[in-house]
């Protein structure tokens, strides 16, 4: 007796299996290696743009997408028939030139894309080697995608593996040891450029994560306490100032505070420059450090003879002795990545097999149900015995097939393909 499932039963799965094949998993992006901060800023994606991008992706049936946008990179990860689809999503939501993005961007697919995410998530691809802050940014980016229904099982498993590997590398190697970050680089710059910093008035514009870290580093390493905080949301500045014994001022007094300061640190996240040349007409000499991406200090400020402006790219050139130590830890980190990436790829491979085995089990269960019904239609039967025996037969057959596949991994694809063909499950393995 031949039993066929309805052809529509696997239609959606067959349509989706091709696009969700690992070969169609891509990453497209730009980073600090080929672009300066100004170009990266033009392709930076804020939360509103991220929401629009996800909505646009879903309208194109691209429902496994997430975007990583930091001061050092803008990258989009996801499944697509052509990576150009991902390029267009980014370019549509940002102000940068699409042709320029295509020229400067990198595209990785399949296992290369997976390896790239591991290296990004562990700080191996960071502008400052071993920068551990990136993992929090990955968490935030993927959480947002998941909350908006644009984050599939493949990506969730992959990102969880990357998070685990990042934690292992942090705990088991010295890749992230020592204090090296953009925030700390700013402190090192001040240490060398301003030996009398304790006598200087410092203004911090923007009390987000980078601003807070920079401020804490200045206090811990340089002993400064003449810091004034200005933030668009006054309560944020007020709370941080109260915790650390600092002064704060309302955003409406920004121009006045800029005039009074000797050193200005800008760590705000405005989409366009808010610190302008007009703020420094007839002012005293000042050192300005722009920690923002996109830049929040207008580039024309650099042209003022009494103003020295330093941005994040220039900060990243400041080397620390700990970087040399971190380089020695790279082989250990790569070894951990390789081990866990292989585990992930094995899971992916076995997941394809599991789909076929489930379909076989469904087929056998259908046969089983029909046979039981035939027995029920007869004159004599013991229903409990018949159901118990037949259920055990089905499970034993599945266990035998699964066991054979696990033991002989080099032939597993052949076995699964044969089982798939014999039972005519309708599962497309491509």
């Amino acid at each position: 007796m031949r039993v066929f499932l309805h052809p529509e039963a696997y239609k959606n799965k067959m349509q989706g299996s091709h696009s969700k094949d690992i070969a169609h998993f891509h990453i497209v992006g730009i980073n600090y290696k080929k672009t300066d901060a100004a170009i990266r800023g033009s392709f930076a994606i804020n939360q509103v743009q991220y929401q629009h991008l996800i909505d646009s992706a879903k309208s194109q049936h691209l429902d496994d997408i997430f975007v990583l946008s930091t001061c050092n990179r803008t990258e989009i990860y996801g499944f697509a028939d052509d990576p150009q689809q991902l390029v267009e999503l980014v370019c549509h939501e940002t102000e940068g030139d699409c042709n320029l993005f295509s020229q400067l961007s990198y595209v990785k697919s399949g296992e290369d894309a997976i390896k790239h995410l591991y290296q990004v998530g562990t700080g191996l691809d960071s502008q400052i080697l071993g920068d551990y802050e990136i993992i929090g940014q990955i968490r935030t980016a993927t959480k947002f995608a998941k909350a908006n229904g644009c984050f599939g099982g493949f990506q969730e498993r992959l990102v969880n593996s990357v998070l685990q590997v990042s934690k292992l590398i942090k705990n088991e190697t010295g890749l992230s040891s020592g204090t090296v970050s953009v925030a700390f680089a700013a402190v090192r710059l001040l240490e060398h450029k301003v030996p009398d910093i304790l006598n200087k008035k410092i203004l911090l514009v923007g009390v987000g994560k980078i601003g807070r870290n920079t401020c804490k580093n200045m206090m811990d390493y340089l002993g400064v306490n003449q810091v004034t905080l200005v933030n668009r949301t006054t309560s944020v500045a007020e709370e941080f100032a109260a915790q650390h014994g600092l002064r704060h001022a309302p955003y409406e007094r920004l121009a006045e505070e800029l005039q009074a300061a000797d050193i200005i640190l800008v760590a705000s996240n405005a989409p366009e420059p808010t610190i302008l040349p007009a703020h420094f007409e007839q002012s005293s000499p000042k050192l300005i450090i722009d920690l923002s991406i996109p830049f929040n200090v207008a580039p024309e400020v650099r042209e003022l003879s009494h103003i020295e402006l330093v941005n994040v790219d220039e900060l990243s050139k400041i080397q620390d002795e700990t970087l040399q130590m971190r380089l020695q830890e790279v082989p250990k980190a790569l070894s951990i990545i390789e081990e866990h990436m292989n585990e992930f790829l094995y899971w992916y491979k076995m997941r394809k097999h599991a789909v076929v085995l489930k379909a076989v089990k469904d087929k056998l269960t259908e046969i089983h149900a029909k046979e039981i019904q035939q027995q029920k239609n007869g004159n004599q039967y013991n229903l409990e015995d018949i159901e118990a025996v037949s259920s055990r037969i089905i499970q034993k057959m599945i266990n035998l097939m699964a066991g054979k596949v696990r033991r002989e991994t080099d032939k597993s694809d052949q076995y699964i393909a044969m089982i798939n063909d014999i039972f005519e499950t309708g599962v497309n393995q491509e």
Side-chain angles (χ1 to χ4, degrees):
M1 177 180 66
R2 302 186 69 186
V3 180
F4 294 92
L5 295 181
H6 194 279
E8 291 295 316
Y10 289 97
K11 182 177 179 181
N12 292 334
K13 187 180 293 295
M14 290 175 68
Q15 288 176 337
S17 63
H18 175 71
S19 62
K20 300 301 166 60
D21 186 274
I22 196 171
H24 294 275
F25 179 66
H26 311 288
I27 176 269
V28 178
I30 58 171
N31 65 17
Y32 65 94
K33 295 178 182 178
K34 291 180 64 176
T35 60
D36 60 26
I39 293 175
R40 295 197 302 277
S42 68
F43 293 105
I45 294 178
N46 60 34
Q47 189 158 318
V48 173
Q49 291 169 318
Y50 196 178
Q51 182 69 65
H52 292 164
L53 186 148
I54 283 180
D55 292 341
S56 178
K58 290 166 72 173
S59 71
Q60 299 175 45
H61 307 292
L62 300 174
D63 56 356
D64 281 297
I65 299 290
F66 73 91
V67 175
L68 184 60
S69 184
T70 73
C71 62
N72 287 330
R73 68 185 67 244
T74 292
E75 296 179 338
I76 180 168
Y77 295 78
F79 284 94
D81 290 333
D82 189 328
Q84 183 62 27
Q85 294 172 270
L86 305 184
V87 172
E88 291 171 0
L89 284 173
V90 172
C91 292
H92 185 265
E93 294 302 329
T94 57
E95 297 178 357
D97 179 78
C98 195
N99 290 329
L100 181 62
F101 185 88
S102 297
Q103 292 171 19
L104 298 174
S105 64
Y106 41 88
V107 178
K108 300 178 188 291
S109 302
E111 292 187 20
D112 288 340
I114 292 170
K115 182 183 294 184
H116 180 79
L117 181 56
Y118 275 104
Q119 293 188 343
V120 170
T122 54
L124 286 174
D125 195 65
S126 295
Q127 190 166 22
I128 297 177
L129 180 65
D131 187 353
Y132 195 64
E133 291 184 6
I134 187 68
I135 203 65
Q137 294 162 331
I138 290 175
R139 281 197 187 94
T140 300
T142 55
K143 182 179 179 181
F144 187 84
K146 185 176 181 179
N148 284 275
C150 206
F151 196 64
F154 174 94
Q155 288 178 323
E156 185 163 18
R157 179 84 177 215
L158 174 58
V159 169
N160 285 340
S161 178
V162 170
L163 296 177
Q164 180 185 7
V165 169
S166 179
K167 185 176 182 179
L168 284 172
I169 288 176
K170 181 174 174 61
N171 293 336
E172 298 181 10
T173 77
L175 188 70
S176 297
S177 62
T179 307
V180 180
S181 66
V182 171
F184 188 66
V187 174
R188 292 297 303 271
L189 178 74
L190 291 172
E191 183 180 27
H192 292 296
K193 278 188 170 290
V194 192
D196 60 339
I197 193 168
L198 295 180
N199 299 320
K200 301 296 184 182
K201 295 180 181 179
I202 302 173
L203 173 65
L204 173 62
V205 182
V207 193
K209 184 175 181 180
I210 293 178
R212 292 195 302 269
N213 287 344
T214 305
C215 191
K216 289 177 183 177
N217 285 339
M218 286 193 299
M219 296 173 69
D220 292 342
Y221 292 97
L222 303 180
V224 301
N225 54 23
Q226 289 194 73
V227 181
T228 299
L229 310 177
V230 171
N231 196 70
R232 283 187 179 276
T233 304
T234 303
S235 60
V236 174
E238 185 177 8
E239 180 181 357
F240 188 78
Q243 291 173 353
H244 298 280
L246 304 175
R247 176 177 175 269
H248 71 89
Y251 191 80
E252 292 75 20
R253 286 176 50 192
L254 175 61
E256 178 183 337
E257 296 297 334
L258 288 170
Q259 282 283 330
D262 301 307
I263 299 169
I264 301 167
L265 301 165
V266 183
S268 50
N269 59 357
E272 297 178 352
T274 55
I275 311 299
L276 308 172
H279 287 124
F280 305 107
E281 291 180 358
Q282 300 180 345
S283 76
S284 59
K286 301 181 189 300
L287 170 62
I288 304 176
I289 302 177
D290 190 356
L291 302 170
S292 311
I293 291 290
F295 293 151
N296 276 195
V297 179
E300 293 81 9
V301 172
R302 188 183 298 276
E303 299 173 7
L304 300 175
S305 60
H306 61 296
I307 303 295
E308 182 178 1
L309 174 61
V310 179
N311 62 35
V312 290
D313 280 348
E314 294 162 318
L315 279 179
S316 297
K317 296 175 184 176
I318 299 174
Q319 298 298 311
D320 192 273
E321 58 271 12
T322 52
L323 290 178
Q324 297 304 315
M325 182 186 69
R326 291 184 179 194
L327 284 171
Q328 299 174 11
E329 299 297 300
V330 169
K332 295 179 188 177
L334 289 174
S335 178
I336 293 173
I337 287 175
E338 182 179 9
E339 177 186 352
H340 286 266
M341 180 174 166
N342 286 338
E343 288 180 4
F344 173 78
L345 292 174
Y346 177 77
W347 165 83
Y348 169 76
K349 184 177 182 180
M350 294 308 295
R351 187 175 77 154
K352 292 196 301 181
H353 296 167
V355 172
V356 174
L357 291 173
K358 183 181 183 303
V360 171
K361 184 174 182 178
D362 291 344
K363 176 78 74 164
L364 292 173
T365 300
E366 184 178 350
I367 295 172
H368 158 254
K370 290 194 174 184
E371 291 294 329
I372 289 295
Q373 187 59 48
Q374 286 184 358
Q375 291 292 334
K376 287 181 179 180
N377 293 336
N379 294 326
Q380 294 180 346
Y381 68 95
N382 185 323
L383 181 60
E384 182 177 352
D385 289 344
I386 292 173
E387 290 183 336
V389 170
S390 58
S391 293
R392 287 199 299 271
I393 290 173
I394 291 174
Q395 191 58 55
K396 283 182 178 180
M397 292 179 69
I398 294 296
N399 290 345
L400 283 171
M401 289 184 283
K404 184 70 171 177
V405 168
R406 282 195 297 268
R407 287 192 300 274
E408 301 191 32
T409 56
D410 58 328
K411 299 179 181 178
S412 60
D413 284 338
Q414 298 175 35
Y415 289 151
I416 288 293
M418 183 177 294
I419 293 169
N420 194 24
D421 185 54
I422 290 172
F423 285 91
E424 299 179 342
T425 63
V427 173
N428 185 353
Q429 285 191 279
E430 295 182 358

